[in-house]
Amino acid sequence: MSFFSLGTWQIKRLQWKLDLIARVEQRVHAAPQDVPVAANWAKVNAAQDEYRHVRLSGTYLYQYTSLVLASTELGSGYWVMTPLRMDDNNIVWINRGYIPTAMAGQFQSATTKTSDAAVMIAGLLRISEPNGGFLRHNDPSAQRWFSRDIEAMSASHRLTFAAPYFVDLEAHSSSSLAEANEYPVPGLTVIAFHNSHLVYALTWYVLALMVAGAYFYVWREDKRLHAQRSSRQVS
C-alpha cells in the first residue's frame, strides 16, 4: 500500500512540474515588465519570478565586473557579471553573457572601462546562486566565482542597495551567437527542469505490483498446502 501511495504522490508531483514548466514558458515569452522594485525584493522567489521577462535601464559599473565560471553550448569560459545602477540608485547585477577563457583578462574586475551612458536592456530574471558550484566554493577575496552569488559579489565590491536577483541579458536581435566575434555573447540561458516523476511513479507502482504478487503467491501456496494436509487427514 505504501508503494502505491508513493507512486500516486509522484503522479501529483509530475502534474505540479508540468504546470511549473508551462508557467515558465509563459513568463519567458511574455512582454518584458519592469524589474521588481526595492520594496518588493523580499517577495522575489524562484517559484513566482524565476525566468520572468523583465526590462530595466541604468548605467553599467564596469569597474566592478566579476567573472563566473561557465559551461555553455559555446564551450567553457566565464559569465561576465556587471552591476547596473538604475535611476533610483539601486543596483541590479546583469549577466552580460559568455566569454571564452582566453578573454578573461580583458574583463577582469580591475578593468578601466567606464561609461556614463545610460542603457536600456531586457532579459530574464534569475535567482541568486549562493555558496558556489559542486564541491567548489566561491572565494570572494580572490574574485574566484563558481556560481552567481549576488549577495557575496555585492559584498566583495562593497556595493549596497543591490537586488537579490540578477538578469540574464537577452540575445541581441541583430546578432547570432558570437557573430562577428562580439563578446560577451548574451542569450545563452538554458531553461531546463529535471523531470523524472513519471519514471519514479512507474517504479513505485511496479514495486507495489511485485509485493501484491508476492502476497498472492504466498497466499496461494499456503492454501495449497492447507488443502494437502486436509486431504491427508481425511484419507
Side-chain angles (χ1 to χ4, degrees):
M1 185 63 182
S2 59
F3 288 148
F4 184 82
S5 298
L6 288 170
T8 301
W9 176 69
Q10 286 294 339
I11 290 296
K12 292 179 180 179
R13 292 284 295 173
L14 172 63
Q15 187 57 54
W16 170 83
K17 183 62 67 68
L18 292 176
D19 289 342
L20 173 62
I21 293 173
R23 290 197 302 271
V24 168
E25 284 294 321
Q26 185 178 22
R27 294 175 197 169
V28 170
H29 297 101
Q33 301 175 343
D34 292 337
V35 294
V37 296
N40 295 327
W41 284 354
K43 301 177 183 178
V44 174
N45 60 79
Q48 300 296 326
D49 300 292
E50 183 108 61
Y51 302 112
R52 190 178 298 281
H53 196 191
V54 295
R55 65 192 173 202
L56 67 162
S57 62
T59 304
Y60 277 124
L61 304 177
Y62 292 106
Q63 67 271 32
Y64 300 123
T65 293
S66 293
L67 303 183
V68 181
L69 194 68
S71 178
T72 76
E73 60 185 276
L74 297 180
S76 298
Y78 296 95
W79 297 123
V80 179
M81 302 291 295
T82 303
L84 181 85
R85 188 182 300 279
M86 298 187 294
D87 294 337
D88 59 5
N89 283 326
N90 290 318
I91 289 173
V92 175
W93 282 84
I94 309 299
N95 177 10
R96 292 162 53 205
Y98 159 86
I99 60 170
T101 303
M103 297 185 68
Q106 302 176 39
F107 290 89
Q108 294 293 348
S109 59
T111 179
T112 58
K113 180 179 180 181
T114 59
S115 175
D116 293 329
V119 295
M120 296 186 64
I121 60 175
L124 301 180
L125 186 150
R126 303 295 308 280
I127 304 300
S128 181
E129 303 166 346
N131 301 324
F134 180 67
L135 298 179
R136 293 179 293 186
H137 296 286
N138 294 325
D139 185 357
S141 61
Q143 286 296 300
R144 285 198 293 267
W145 303 99
F146 300 102
S147 72
R148 290 162 291 190
D149 188 337
I150 298 307
E151 290 80 3
M153 286 194 293
S154 296
S156 72
H157 294 296
R158 295 183 174 83
L159 295 174
T160 56
F161 306 107
Y165 55 83
F166 64 96
V167 173
D168 276 349
L169 188 64
E170 66 184 10
H172 305 311
S173 59
S174 60
S175 64
S176 59
L177 299 182
E179 181 179 358
N181 292 320
E182 292 183 0
Y183 290 96
V185 180
L188 298 180
T189 305
V190 176
I191 303 176
F193 296 91
H194 181 68
N195 187 6
S196 298
H197 297 297
L198 182 58
V199 174
Y200 296 152
L202 291 175
T203 299
W204 289 123
Y205 284 143
V206 168
L207 288 173
L209 288 174
M210 290 174 64
V211 170
Y215 274 117
F216 175 76
Y217 176 79
V218 171
W219 172 81
R220 188 182 64 179
E221 285 299 298
D222 184 68
K223 186 175 181 180
R224 183 179 64 82
L225 292 174
H226 180 72
Q228 288 179 351
R229 287 195 296 267
S230 297
S231 63
R232 290 171 185 165
Q233 290 174 359
V234 171
S235 61

